[in-house]
């Protein structure tokens, strides 16, 4: 029995530690989006599999008997492919999906279907803080056309120039405290915050900072959920992995 943990989140790191401590035969896979990820206590590979066939070949060659998907809630394409391949091969698949954030008293959220929709809500010339990563930055082109200043925070130093006339990359590795986020937003004069509804306690600090400062938030909605076994906490996911892909 060998579990493949599709990693890349805080939950995945905690699951990896638990599986290693329990002596469960498991290995982890990272998409390779971050150049220097924190090491996991499991045998770890990094990078793509080469499509559905490459993933199937890997599962077969590595003797994988179950797949636990703890990737980012917006890694929809990876998750959908993984589920499809596992279903075809008869390999148990489950997803760890932390609950999405919900707006509370004092929050000023506008739910967005995608990045391009932000331009319909953010006023011309606004300073916009993008806590969405570099991979989808180009989708904010309609916002840049409204003479907005876009500040994109990412984990790794940029490999190229900022793609829009007004704005910059900002490098920072989470977690960030509420106090740090408040100070940063004040320093930059942020008018709007755009985030993906990733959920989780640690990333919530930027939302708390926006509430304190009265900054409107553009909240990008999650992709449609998959029809699969899903856990919103790690304890049952770990038990599932220990049991070889069976609900306990």
């Amino acid at each position: 029995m060998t579990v493949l943990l599709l990693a890349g989140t805080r939950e995945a790191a905690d699951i990896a530690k638990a599986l290693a401590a329990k002596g469960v035969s498991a290995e982890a896979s990272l998409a390779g989006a971050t150049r220097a990820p924190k090491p996991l206590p499991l045998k770890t590979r990094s990078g793509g599999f080469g499509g559905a066939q490459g993933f199937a070949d890997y599962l077969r060659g590595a003797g994988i008997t179950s797949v636990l998907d703890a990737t980012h809630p917006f890694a929809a394409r990876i998750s959908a492919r993984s589920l499809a391949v596992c279903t075809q091969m008869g390999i148990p698949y489950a997803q760890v999906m932390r609950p999405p954030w919900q707006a509370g008293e004092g929050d000023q959220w506008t739910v967005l279907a995608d990045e391009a929709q932000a331009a319909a809500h953010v006023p011309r010339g606004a300073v916009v803080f993008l806590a969405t990563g570099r991979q989808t930055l180009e989708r904010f082109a309609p916002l840049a056309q409204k003479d907005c200043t876009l500040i994109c925070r990412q984990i790794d130093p940029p490999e190229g120039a900022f793609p829009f006339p007004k704005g910059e990359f900002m490098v920072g590795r989470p977690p960030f405290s509420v106090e740090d986020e408040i100070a940063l937003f004040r320093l930059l004069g942020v008018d709007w915050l755009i985030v993906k509804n990733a959920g989780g306690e640690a990333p919530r600090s930027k939302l708390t900072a926006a509430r304190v400062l009265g900054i409107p938030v553009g909240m990008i909605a999650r992709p449609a959920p998959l029809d699969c076994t899903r856990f919103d906490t790690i304890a049952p996911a770990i038990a599932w992995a220990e049991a070889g892909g069976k609900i306990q």
Side-chain angles (χ1 to χ4, degrees):
M1 184 182 77
T2 301
V3 182
L4 175 62
L5 174 65
L6 301 180
T9 60
R10 173 64 181 271
E11 289 79 10
D14 291 342
I15 291 169
K17 291 177 184 177
L19 295 181
K22 292 173 178 289
V24 176
S25 176
E27 54 187 78
S29 176
L30 294 169
T34 302
R35 292 177 209 161
K38 293 181 180 179
L40 300 173
L42 298 174
K43 175 185 176 183
T44 305
R45 65 174 303 283
S46 181
F49 290 96
Q53 187 58 55
F55 185 55
D57 291 342
Y58 181 84
L59 296 179
R60 193 175 295 110
I64 301 299
T65 54
S66 61
V67 173
L68 184 57
D69 183 351
T71 55
H72 193 275
F74 281 77
R77 185 168 59 180
I78 292 174
S79 295
R81 181 203 64 191
S82 301
L83 172 59
V85 171
C86 287
T87 300
Q88 185 178 28
M89 297 179 67
I91 295 175
Y93 168 95
Q95 190 177 42
V96 181
M97 185 66 68
R98 58 196 180 214
W101 292 311
Q102 302 292 334
E105 184 177 355
D107 288 322
Q108 303 175 51
W109 292 9
T110 298
V111 177
L112 308 175
D114 54 37
E115 291 83 354
Q117 268 199 356
H121 302 278
V122 177
R124 178 172 293 275
V127 176
V128 185
F129 192 89
L130 305 176
T132 53
R134 71 184 186 277
Q135 293 182 317
T136 57
L137 180 57
E138 297 290 346
R139 299 177 188 173
F140 289 102
L143 199 56
Q145 292 168 5
K146 294 184 66 173
D147 198 36
C148 292
T149 299
L150 306 183
I151 301 167
C152 176
R153 183 162 66 190
Q154 60 182 53
I155 294 176
D156 295 317
E159 295 181 329
F162 195 74
F164 302 124
K166 297 180 67 174
E168 62 180 322
F169 289 113
M170 176 168 288
V171 178
R173 184 177 289 270
F176 308 103
S177 71
V178 173
E179 293 74 20
D180 286 343
E181 296 289 59
I182 289 174
L184 177 63
F185 292 169
R186 281 177 171 161
L187 177 66
L188 298 173
V190 173
D191 299 307
W192 268 74
L193 169 67
I194 308 292
V195 302
K196 294 177 178 178
N197 197 335
E201 287 305 313
R204 189 189 290 272
S205 60
K206 54 183 172 284
L207 300 176
T208 304
R211 181 195 305 149
V212 170
L213 296 174
I215 295 173
V217 174
M219 182 65 67
I220 301 174
R222 288 185 179 185
L226 297 175
D227 182 12
C228 66
T229 299
R230 186 179 299 107
F231 306 106
D232 59 11
T233 59
I234 67 171
I238 293 167
W240 181 90
E242 284 188 278
K246 297 178 182 178
I247 300 292
Q248 296 300 293

